[in-house]
Amino acid sequence: WNYSQSIKFTILPKWYQTYWFKGIITCLLLLATYAIYLAKLNQYKNAQLVRRDIANDLHDDIGSTLNSIKIYTHLLLSGKNQLEYVNKIKEGVKEATDGLRDMIWVLDDSHDTLDDLLIRIKKFVVPLLNGVDIEIRFDSDYSQNFVLNKTEKKNLLLIAKEAVNNSV
């Protein structure tokens, strides 16, 4: 009885053990990594735009004010109209200080709501208008507090300040 038979079994891998599944997972991981890279790159570009805007604002606002102070200082040293130039230097320093405070306020992340913007506008507007006997009233009828991004916050503050200055 030398009779032998064999049965051949082929054991297939589970679906998650196949090469195609491992390839799909690898591709998904690569895509996720690339998406994270693009998001970080976009975040970096946005930060660069904010920095460029800040640099432009500093150059336009504070730079021009400081340049005016420098010119008034040279004129003050010339000896003519000294009191007038001292007052102009004083006004220039106040403008530069106010501009720098506004820039710092815009960059502060803890004051990004519409209520905070109204408080900041009141700090600027009320003393200015009281000095020229103009009455102002602030009314707000919104139910929720809106969060503003830095550009909106800066632009709305500058618009309000410019409107009040032009009105006065």
Short mmCIF file of all heavy atoms in Angstrom, two decimals, residues 87-148:
data_model
loop_
_atom_site.label_atom_id
_atom_site.label_comp_id
_atom_site.label_asym_id
_atom_site.label_seq_id
_atom_site.Cartn_x
_atom_site.Cartn_y
_atom_site.Cartn_z
N ASN A 87 5.73 122.95 19.56
CA ASN A 87 4.37 122.41 19.57
C ASN A 87 4.17 121.38 18.47
O ASN A 87 3.49 120.37 18.66
CB ASN A 87 3.35 123.54 19.44
CG ASN A 87 3.23 124.35 20.71
OD1 ASN A 87 3.46 123.83 21.80
ND2 ASN A 87 2.91 125.62 20.59
N LYS A 88 4.74 121.63 17.29
CA LYS A 88 4.62 120.67 16.20
C LYS A 88 5.37 119.37 16.53
O LYS A 88 4.89 118.28 16.21
CB LYS A 88 5.12 121.27 14.89
CG LYS A 88 4.19 122.35 14.37
CD LYS A 88 4.55 122.73 12.96
CE LYS A 88 3.66 123.85 12.49
NZ LYS A 88 2.47 123.37 11.83
N ILE A 89 6.50 119.48 17.17
CA ILE A 89 7.25 118.28 17.60
C ILE A 89 6.44 117.51 18.62
O ILE A 89 6.33 116.27 18.56
CB ILE A 89 8.64 118.66 18.15
CG1 ILE A 89 9.53 119.17 17.01
CG2 ILE A 89 9.28 117.49 18.86
CD1 ILE A 89 10.82 119.79 17.46
N LYS A 90 5.83 118.24 19.57
CA LYS A 90 4.99 117.60 20.59
C LYS A 90 3.83 116.86 19.94
O LYS A 90 3.53 115.71 20.28
CB LYS A 90 4.48 118.67 21.56
CG LYS A 90 3.60 118.16 22.65
CD LYS A 90 3.11 119.30 23.52
CE LYS A 90 2.03 118.84 24.45
NZ LYS A 90 1.44 119.95 25.21
N GLU A 91 3.16 117.49 18.97
CA GLU A 91 2.05 116.84 18.26
C GLU A 91 2.54 115.61 17.48
O GLU A 91 1.87 114.58 17.43
CB GLU A 91 1.40 117.82 17.29
CG GLU A 91 0.61 118.92 17.95
CD GLU A 91 0.15 119.97 16.95
OE1 GLU A 91 0.20 119.71 15.73
OE2 GLU A 91 -0.24 121.06 17.40
N GLY A 92 3.71 115.73 16.86
CA GLY A 92 4.26 114.61 16.10
C GLY A 92 4.58 113.42 16.98
O GLY A 92 4.31 112.27 16.61
N VAL A 93 5.16 113.69 18.15
CA VAL A 93 5.46 112.59 19.08
C VAL A 93 4.17 111.93 19.54
O VAL A 93 4.09 110.69 19.62
CB VAL A 93 6.29 113.12 20.28
CG1 VAL A 93 6.39 112.08 21.37
CG2 VAL A 93 7.68 113.53 19.81
N LYS A 94 3.14 112.72 19.81
CA LYS A 94 1.85 112.15 20.22
C LYS A 94 1.26 111.30 19.09
O LYS A 94 0.76 110.20 19.33
CB LYS A 94 0.87 113.26 20.61
CG LYS A 94 -0.45 112.73 21.12
CD LYS A 94 -1.43 113.82 21.44
CE LYS A 94 -2.76 113.33 21.92
NZ LYS A 94 -3.32 112.19 21.27
N GLU A 95 1.32 111.78 17.85
CA GLU A 95 0.82 111.00 16.71
C GLU A 95 1.58 109.69 16.55
O GLU A 95 0.97 108.64 16.31
CB GLU A 95 0.95 111.81 15.42
CG GLU A 95 -0.07 112.88 15.23
CD GLU A 95 0.13 113.64 13.94
OE1 GLU A 95 0.61 113.04 12.96
OE2 GLU A 95 -0.18 114.83 13.91
N ALA A 96 2.90 109.75 16.68
CA ALA A 96 3.71 108.52 16.55
C ALA A 96 3.38 107.53 17.66
O ALA A 96 3.25 106.33 17.42
CB ALA A 96 5.20 108.87 16.57
N THR A 97 3.21 108.05 18.87
CA THR A 97 2.86 107.18 20.00
C THR A 97 1.49 106.55 19.79
O THR A 97 1.31 105.34 20.00
CB THR A 97 2.87 107.99 21.31
OG1 THR A 97 4.15 108.59 21.46
CG2 THR A 97 2.59 107.11 22.50
N ASP A 98 0.53 107.37 19.37
CA ASP A 98 -0.82 106.83 19.12
C ASP A 98 -0.81 105.80 17.99
O ASP A 98 -1.48 104.77 18.07
CB ASP A 98 -1.79 107.96 18.78
CG ASP A 98 -2.10 108.85 19.97
OD1 ASP A 98 -1.82 108.43 21.11
OD2 ASP A 98 -2.60 109.98 19.75
N GLY A 99 -0.06 106.07 16.94
CA GLY A 99 0.04 105.13 15.83
C GLY A 99 0.65 103.81 16.26
O GLY A 99 0.20 102.73 15.86
N LEU A 100 1.69 103.89 17.08
CA LEU A 100 2.33 102.66 17.58
C LEU A 100 1.40 101.90 18.50
O LEU A 100 1.31 100.67 18.41
CB LEU A 100 3.63 103.02 18.30
CG LEU A 100 4.54 101.87 18.68
CD1 LEU A 100 4.92 101.05 17.45
CD2 LEU A 100 5.78 102.40 19.36
N ARG A 101 0.66 102.60 19.35
CA ARG A 101 -0.30 101.93 20.23
C ARG A 101 -1.40 101.24 19.41
O ARG A 101 -1.81 100.12 19.73
CB ARG A 101 -0.93 102.93 21.19
CG ARG A 101 -0.03 103.29 22.33
CD ARG A 101 -0.74 104.16 23.34
NE ARG A 101 0.18 104.53 24.39
CZ ARG A 101 0.19 105.70 24.99
NH1 ARG A 101 -0.68 106.62 24.65
NH2 ARG A 101 1.05 105.96 25.93
N ASP A 102 -1.87 101.92 18.37
CA ASP A 102 -2.88 101.31 17.51
C ASP A 102 -2.34 100.05 16.83
O ASP A 102 -3.04 99.04 16.71
CB ASP A 102 -3.38 102.30 16.46
CG ASP A 102 -4.27 103.37 17.05
OD1 ASP A 102 -4.77 103.18 18.19
OD2 ASP A 102 -4.46 104.41 16.38
N MET A 103 -1.10 100.11 16.36
CA MET A 103 -0.49 98.95 15.70
C MET A 103 -0.38 97.78 16.67
O MET A 103 -0.69 96.65 16.32
CB MET A 103 0.89 99.34 15.17
CG MET A 103 1.55 98.27 14.37
SD MET A 103 0.79 98.01 12.77
CE MET A 103 0.95 99.62 12.06
N ILE A 104 0.05 98.06 17.88
CA ILE A 104 0.17 97.00 18.89
C ILE A 104 -1.20 96.44 19.23
O ILE A 104 -1.38 95.23 19.37
CB ILE A 104 0.90 97.53 20.14
CG1 ILE A 104 2.36 97.80 19.80
CG2 ILE A 104 0.79 96.55 21.30
CD1 ILE A 104 3.11 98.57 20.86
N TRP A 105 -2.21 97.31 19.32
CA TRP A 105 -3.57 96.85 19.61
C TRP A 105 -4.08 95.94 18.50
O TRP A 105 -4.72 94.92 18.78
CB TRP A 105 -4.50 98.05 19.79
CG TRP A 105 -5.90 97.65 20.07
CD1 TRP A 105 -6.43 97.25 21.26
CD2 TRP A 105 -6.97 97.57 19.12
NE1 TRP A 105 -7.76 96.94 21.10
CE2 TRP A 105 -8.11 97.13 19.79
CE3 TRP A 105 -7.06 97.84 17.76
CZ2 TRP A 105 -9.32 96.95 19.17
CZ3 TRP A 105 -8.27 97.68 17.14
CH2 TRP A 105 -9.39 97.23 17.84
N VAL A 106 -3.81 96.30 17.25
CA VAL A 106 -4.26 95.47 16.13
C VAL A 106 -3.61 94.10 16.19
O VAL A 106 -4.25 93.08 15.91
CB VAL A 106 -3.95 96.18 14.78
CG1 VAL A 106 -4.09 95.21 13.63
CG2 VAL A 106 -4.86 97.36 14.58
N LEU A 107 -2.36 94.03 16.58
CA LEU A 107 -1.64 92.75 16.62
C LEU A 107 -2.00 91.90 17.82
O LEU A 107 -1.75 90.70 17.82
CB LEU A 107 -0.14 93.00 16.60
CG LEU A 107 0.40 93.63 15.32
CD1 LEU A 107 1.86 93.96 15.46
CD2 LEU A 107 0.15 92.73 14.14
N ASP A 108 -2.59 92.50 18.84
CA ASP A 108 -2.95 91.76 20.05
C ASP A 108 -4.14 90.85 19.76
O ASP A 108 -5.21 91.31 19.38
CB ASP A 108 -3.28 92.74 21.17
CG ASP A 108 -3.51 92.06 22.50
OD1 ASP A 108 -3.30 90.83 22.59
OD2 ASP A 108 -3.88 92.76 23.45
N ASP A 109 -3.94 89.56 19.94
CA ASP A 109 -4.99 88.58 19.63
C ASP A 109 -6.11 88.55 20.65
O ASP A 109 -7.16 88.00 20.40
CB ASP A 109 -4.39 87.16 19.55
CG ASP A 109 -3.53 86.99 18.31
OD1 ASP A 109 -3.76 87.72 17.33
OD2 ASP A 109 -2.64 86.13 18.33
N SER A 110 -5.90 89.15 21.81
CA SER A 110 -6.94 89.09 22.84
C SER A 110 -8.03 90.13 22.63
O SER A 110 -9.01 90.14 23.36
CB SER A 110 -6.31 89.26 24.23
OG SER A 110 -5.76 90.56 24.34
N HIS A 111 -7.90 91.00 21.64
CA HIS A 111 -8.89 92.05 21.40
C HIS A 111 -9.40 91.98 19.96
O HIS A 111 -9.32 92.95 19.22
CB HIS A 111 -8.29 93.43 21.67
CG HIS A 111 -7.77 93.61 23.06
ND1 HIS A 111 -8.61 93.70 24.15
CD2 HIS A 111 -6.52 93.69 23.54
CE1 HIS A 111 -7.88 93.86 25.24
NE2 HIS A 111 -6.62 93.84 24.90
N ASP A 112 -9.93 90.85 19.57
CA ASP A 112 -10.35 90.65 18.19
C ASP A 112 -11.86 90.66 18.00
O ASP A 112 -12.36 90.13 17.02
CB ASP A 112 -9.80 89.32 17.66
CG ASP A 112 -8.33 89.39 17.36
OD1 ASP A 112 -7.77 90.50 17.34
OD2 ASP A 112 -7.72 88.33 17.12
N THR A 113 -12.60 91.25 18.91
CA THR A 113 -14.05 91.25 18.77
C THR A 113 -14.54 92.65 18.41
O THR A 113 -13.83 93.64 18.57
CB THR A 113 -14.73 90.80 20.08
OG1 THR A 113 -14.44 91.74 21.10
CG2 THR A 113 -14.28 89.40 20.48
N LEU A 114 -15.77 92.71 17.95
CA LEU A 114 -16.38 93.98 17.59
C LEU A 114 -16.53 94.89 18.81
O LEU A 114 -16.34 96.11 18.71
CB LEU A 114 -17.73 93.74 16.92
CG LEU A 114 -18.38 94.91 16.22
CD1 LEU A 114 -17.47 95.48 15.15
CD2 LEU A 114 -19.68 94.48 15.59
N ASP A 115 -16.83 94.32 19.97
CA ASP A 115 -16.92 95.12 21.20
C ASP A 115 -15.58 95.77 21.53
O ASP A 115 -15.53 96.93 21.93
CB ASP A 115 -17.38 94.25 22.37
CG ASP A 115 -18.88 94.03 22.39
OD1 ASP A 115 -19.59 94.84 21.78
OD2 ASP A 115 -19.31 93.05 23.01
N ASP A 116 -14.50 95.01 21.38
CA ASP A 116 -13.17 95.56 21.64
C ASP A 116 -12.85 96.70 20.67
O ASP A 116 -12.23 97.69 21.05
CB ASP A 116 -12.11 94.47 21.54
CG ASP A 116 -12.24 93.42 22.62
OD1 ASP A 116 -12.60 93.78 23.76
OD2 ASP A 116 -11.99 92.24 22.33
N LEU A 117 -13.28 96.56 19.43
CA LEU A 117 -13.07 97.62 18.45
C LEU A 117 -13.84 98.88 18.85
O LEU A 117 -13.30 99.99 18.80
CB LEU A 117 -13.51 97.16 17.05
CG LEU A 117 -13.45 98.22 15.96
CD1 LEU A 117 -12.02 98.65 15.70
CD2 LEU A 117 -14.09 97.70 14.69
N LEU A 118 -15.08 98.72 19.28
CA LEU A 118 -15.87 99.87 19.71
C LEU A 118 -15.25 100.56 20.92
O LEU A 118 -15.24 101.79 21.01
CB LEU A 118 -17.31 99.46 20.00
CG LEU A 118 -18.16 99.12 18.78
CD1 LEU A 118 -19.52 98.60 19.20
CD2 LEU A 118 -18.30 100.32 17.86
N ILE A 119 -14.73 99.79 21.84
CA ILE A 119 -14.06 100.36 23.02
C ILE A 119 -12.84 101.18 22.57
O ILE A 119 -12.61 102.29 23.05
CB ILE A 119 -13.66 99.25 24.01
CG1 ILE A 119 -14.91 98.67 24.66
CG2 ILE A 119 -12.71 99.78 25.07
CD1 ILE A 119 -14.66 97.38 25.44
N ARG A 120 -12.06 100.64 21.64
CA ARG A 120 -10.88 101.34 21.14
C ARG A 120 -11.27 102.62 20.41
O ARG A 120 -10.62 103.66 20.57
CB ARG A 120 -10.08 100.41 20.20
CG ARG A 120 -8.79 100.98 19.73
CD ARG A 120 -7.82 101.10 20.87
NE ARG A 120 -6.57 101.66 20.39
CZ ARG A 120 -5.51 101.79 21.13
NH1 ARG A 120 -5.53 101.37 22.37
NH2 ARG A 120 -4.42 102.31 20.65
N ILE A 121 -12.32 102.57 19.63
CA ILE A 121 -12.78 103.77 18.91
C ILE A 121 -13.25 104.82 19.92
O ILE A 121 -12.96 106.01 19.76
CB ILE A 121 -13.89 103.39 17.90
CG1 ILE A 121 -13.28 102.57 16.75
CG2 ILE A 121 -14.57 104.63 17.36
CD1 ILE A 121 -14.31 101.97 15.81
N LYS A 122 -13.96 104.39 20.96
CA LYS A 122 -14.43 105.33 21.99
C LYS A 122 -13.25 106.04 22.66
O LYS A 122 -13.32 107.24 22.94
CB LYS A 122 -15.26 104.60 23.05
CG LYS A 122 -16.66 104.25 22.61
CD LYS A 122 -17.38 103.51 23.73
CE LYS A 122 -18.69 102.95 23.24
NZ LYS A 122 -19.39 102.20 24.28
N LYS A 123 -12.17 105.29 22.93
CA LYS A 123 -11.01 105.89 23.58
C LYS A 123 -10.41 107.01 22.73
O LYS A 123 -9.87 107.97 23.25
CB LYS A 123 -9.93 104.83 23.84
CG LYS A 123 -10.21 103.95 25.01
CD LYS A 123 -9.07 102.96 25.22
CE LYS A 123 -9.35 102.04 26.38
NZ LYS A 123 -8.27 101.07 26.58
N PHE A 124 -10.51 106.87 21.43
CA PHE A 124 -9.98 107.90 20.53
C PHE A 124 -10.98 109.02 20.31
O PHE A 124 -10.64 110.20 20.34
CB PHE A 124 -9.59 107.26 19.19
CG PHE A 124 -9.25 108.27 18.13
CD1 PHE A 124 -8.04 108.92 18.15
CD2 PHE A 124 -10.16 108.59 17.13
CE1 PHE A 124 -7.72 109.86 17.19
CE2 PHE A 124 -9.86 109.53 16.16
CZ PHE A 124 -8.63 110.17 16.20
N VAL A 125 -12.23 108.66 20.10
CA VAL A 125 -13.24 109.60 19.63
C VAL A 125 -13.75 110.51 20.73
O VAL A 125 -13.89 111.73 20.53
CB VAL A 125 -14.41 108.82 18.98
CG1 VAL A 125 -15.60 109.69 18.74
CG2 VAL A 125 -13.96 108.18 17.70
N VAL A 126 -14.08 109.98 21.89
CA VAL A 126 -14.74 110.76 22.93
C VAL A 126 -13.90 111.97 23.37
O VAL A 126 -14.41 113.09 23.39
CB VAL A 126 -15.13 109.85 24.12
CG1 VAL A 126 -15.60 110.66 25.31
CG2 VAL A 126 -16.21 108.86 23.68
N PRO A 127 -12.61 111.82 23.70
CA PRO A 127 -11.84 113.01 24.10
C PRO A 127 -11.72 114.03 22.96
O PRO A 127 -11.77 115.24 23.20
CB PRO A 127 -10.47 112.46 24.48
CG PRO A 127 -10.65 111.03 24.71
CD PRO A 127 -11.81 110.60 23.87
N LEU A 128 -11.58 113.55 21.75
CA LEU A 128 -11.45 114.45 20.61
C LEU A 128 -12.72 115.26 20.39
O LEU A 128 -12.66 116.47 20.21
CB LEU A 128 -11.11 113.63 19.35
CG LEU A 128 -10.90 114.41 18.07
CD1 LEU A 128 -9.65 115.25 18.18
CD2 LEU A 128 -10.79 113.45 16.90
N LEU A 129 -13.85 114.60 20.45
CA LEU A 129 -15.12 115.29 20.22
C LEU A 129 -15.52 116.17 21.40
O LEU A 129 -16.15 117.21 21.21
CB LEU A 129 -16.22 114.29 19.89
CG LEU A 129 -16.04 113.53 18.57
CD1 LEU A 129 -17.18 112.57 18.35
CD2 LEU A 129 -15.90 114.48 17.40
N ASN A 130 -15.17 115.76 22.61
CA ASN A 130 -15.46 116.60 23.78
C ASN A 130 -14.69 117.91 23.70
O ASN A 130 -15.17 118.94 24.17
CB ASN A 130 -15.14 115.87 25.08
CG ASN A 130 -16.18 114.83 25.43
OD1 ASN A 130 -17.31 114.87 24.95
ND2 ASN A 130 -15.79 113.89 26.28
N GLY A 131 -13.51 117.85 23.12
CA GLY A 131 -12.70 119.07 22.99
C GLY A 131 -13.29 120.09 22.05
O GLY A 131 -12.97 121.28 22.15
N VAL A 132 -14.16 119.68 21.15
CA VAL A 132 -14.79 120.62 20.20
C VAL A 132 -16.30 120.68 20.41
O VAL A 132 -17.04 121.11 19.53
CB VAL A 132 -14.45 120.24 18.73
CG1 VAL A 132 -12.99 120.49 18.45
CG2 VAL A 132 -14.84 118.82 18.41
N ASP A 133 -16.77 120.25 21.57
CA ASP A 133 -18.19 120.30 21.95
C ASP A 133 -19.11 119.58 20.97
O ASP A 133 -20.16 120.09 20.60
CB ASP A 133 -18.65 121.76 22.14
CG ASP A 133 -17.98 122.41 23.33
OD1 ASP A 133 -17.66 121.68 24.28
OD2 ASP A 133 -17.77 123.64 23.29
N ILE A 134 -18.72 118.39 20.55
CA ILE A 134 -19.58 117.55 19.72
C ILE A 134 -19.98 116.35 20.56
O ILE A 134 -19.14 115.69 21.17
CB ILE A 134 -18.87 117.09 18.43
CG1 ILE A 134 -18.53 118.28 17.55
CG2 ILE A 134 -19.73 116.09 17.67
CD1 ILE A 134 -17.73 117.94 16.31
N GLU A 135 -21.27 116.07 20.59
CA GLU A 135 -21.77 114.94 21.36
C GLU A 135 -21.84 113.71 20.46
O GLU A 135 -22.23 113.80 19.30
CB GLU A 135 -23.16 115.26 21.90
CG GLU A 135 -23.72 114.17 22.79
CD GLU A 135 -25.12 114.52 23.29
OE1 GLU A 135 -25.40 115.71 23.51
OE2 GLU A 135 -25.92 113.58 23.44
N ILE A 136 -21.44 112.57 21.00
CA ILE A 136 -21.51 111.32 20.24
C ILE A 136 -22.18 110.27 21.10
O ILE A 136 -22.05 110.27 22.33
CB ILE A 136 -20.11 110.86 19.77
CG1 ILE A 136 -20.25 109.68 18.82
CG2 ILE A 136 -19.23 110.52 20.95
CD1 ILE A 136 -19.00 109.35 18.06
N ARG A 137 -22.92 109.40 20.45
CA ARG A 137 -23.59 108.30 21.14
C ARG A 137 -23.26 107.01 20.40
O ARG A 137 -23.31 106.95 19.17
CB ARG A 137 -25.09 108.56 21.13
CG ARG A 137 -25.85 107.61 22.02
CD ARG A 137 -27.31 107.94 22.03
NE ARG A 137 -27.86 107.42 20.77
CZ ARG A 137 -29.02 107.78 20.27
NH1 ARG A 137 -29.76 108.67 20.89
NH2 ARG A 137 -29.46 107.27 19.15
N PHE A 138 -22.93 105.98 21.14
CA PHE A 138 -22.63 104.68 20.56
C PHE A 138 -23.78 103.73 20.86
O PHE A 138 -24.10 103.48 22.01
CB PHE A 138 -21.34 104.10 21.16
CG PHE A 138 -20.09 104.80 20.73
CD1 PHE A 138 -19.62 105.91 21.42
CD2 PHE A 138 -19.40 104.37 19.62
CE1 PHE A 138 -18.48 106.56 21.02
CE2 PHE A 138 -18.25 105.01 19.21
CZ PHE A 138 -17.79 106.11 19.91
N ASP A 139 -24.41 103.23 19.81
CA ASP A 139 -25.48 102.24 19.95
C ASP A 139 -25.08 100.99 19.17
O ASP A 139 -24.58 101.09 18.05
CB ASP A 139 -26.80 102.77 19.37
CG ASP A 139 -27.37 103.90 20.19
OD1 ASP A 139 -27.18 103.88 21.42
OD2 ASP A 139 -27.98 104.80 19.60
N SER A 140 -25.30 99.86 19.78
CA SER A 140 -25.07 98.61 19.07
C SER A 140 -26.25 97.70 19.33
O SER A 140 -26.70 97.55 20.45
CB SER A 140 -23.77 97.95 19.52
OG SER A 140 -23.78 97.70 20.89
N ASP A 141 -26.77 97.09 18.27
CA ASP A 141 -27.95 96.25 18.41
C ASP A 141 -27.73 94.85 17.85
O ASP A 141 -28.64 94.23 17.36
CB ASP A 141 -29.16 96.91 17.76
CG ASP A 141 -28.92 97.19 16.28
OD1 ASP A 141 -27.80 96.99 15.81
OD2 ASP A 141 -29.88 97.60 15.60
N TYR A 142 -26.53 94.38 17.92
CA TYR A 142 -26.28 93.02 17.47
C TYR A 142 -26.30 92.09 18.68
O TYR A 142 -25.97 92.47 19.78
CB TYR A 142 -24.95 92.93 16.71
CG TYR A 142 -23.76 93.43 17.48
CD1 TYR A 142 -23.00 92.55 18.25
CD2 TYR A 142 -23.39 94.76 17.45
CE1 TYR A 142 -21.93 92.99 18.97
CE2 TYR A 142 -22.31 95.21 18.16
CZ TYR A 142 -21.58 94.32 18.92
OH TYR A 142 -20.51 94.77 19.63
N SER A 143 -26.72 90.86 18.43
CA SER A 143 -26.92 89.93 19.54
C SER A 143 -25.67 89.13 19.89
O SER A 143 -25.48 88.74 21.02
CB SER A 143 -28.06 88.98 19.21
OG SER A 143 -27.76 88.24 18.05
N GLN A 144 -24.84 88.88 18.92
CA GLN A 144 -23.64 88.10 19.21
C GLN A 144 -22.41 88.94 18.92
O GLN A 144 -22.46 89.87 18.14
CB GLN A 144 -23.61 86.81 18.40
CG GLN A 144 -23.70 87.02 16.89
CD GLN A 144 -23.59 85.73 16.15
OE1 GLN A 144 -22.56 85.10 16.21
NE2 GLN A 144 -24.64 85.34 15.46
N ASN A 145 -21.34 88.61 19.57
CA ASN A 145 -20.11 89.37 19.40
C ASN A 145 -19.32 88.79 18.23
O ASN A 145 -18.95 87.62 18.24
CB ASN A 145 -19.29 89.32 20.69
CG ASN A 145 -18.32 90.47 20.74
OD1 ASN A 145 -18.33 91.34 19.87
ND2 ASN A 145 -17.49 90.48 21.75
N PHE A 146 -19.09 89.60 17.23
CA PHE A 146 -18.39 89.15 16.04
C PHE A 146 -16.89 89.17 16.28
O PHE A 146 -16.36 90.08 16.89
CB PHE A 146 -18.73 90.05 14.85
CG PHE A 146 -20.17 90.01 14.47
CD1 PHE A 146 -21.01 91.06 14.79
CD2 PHE A 146 -20.69 88.92 13.79
CE1 PHE A 146 -22.34 91.03 14.44
CE2 PHE A 146 -22.02 88.88 13.43
CZ PHE A 146 -22.85 89.93 13.76
N VAL A 147 -16.21 88.16 15.76
CA VAL A 147 -14.75 88.11 15.81
C VAL A 147 -14.22 88.67 14.50
O VAL A 147 -14.67 88.29 13.42
CB VAL A 147 -14.26 86.66 16.05
CG1 VAL A 147 -12.75 86.59 16.00
CG2 VAL A 147 -14.77 86.14 17.38
N LEU A 148 -13.26 89.57 14.60
CA LEU A 148 -12.68 90.22 13.44
C LEU A 148 -11.26 89.70 13.22
O LEU A 148 -10.54 89.42 14.17
CB LEU A 148 -12.62 91.74 13.66
CG LEU A 148 -13.93 92.44 14.01
CD1 LEU A 148 -13.66 93.88 14.44
CD2 LEU A 148 -14.85 92.41 12.82
#
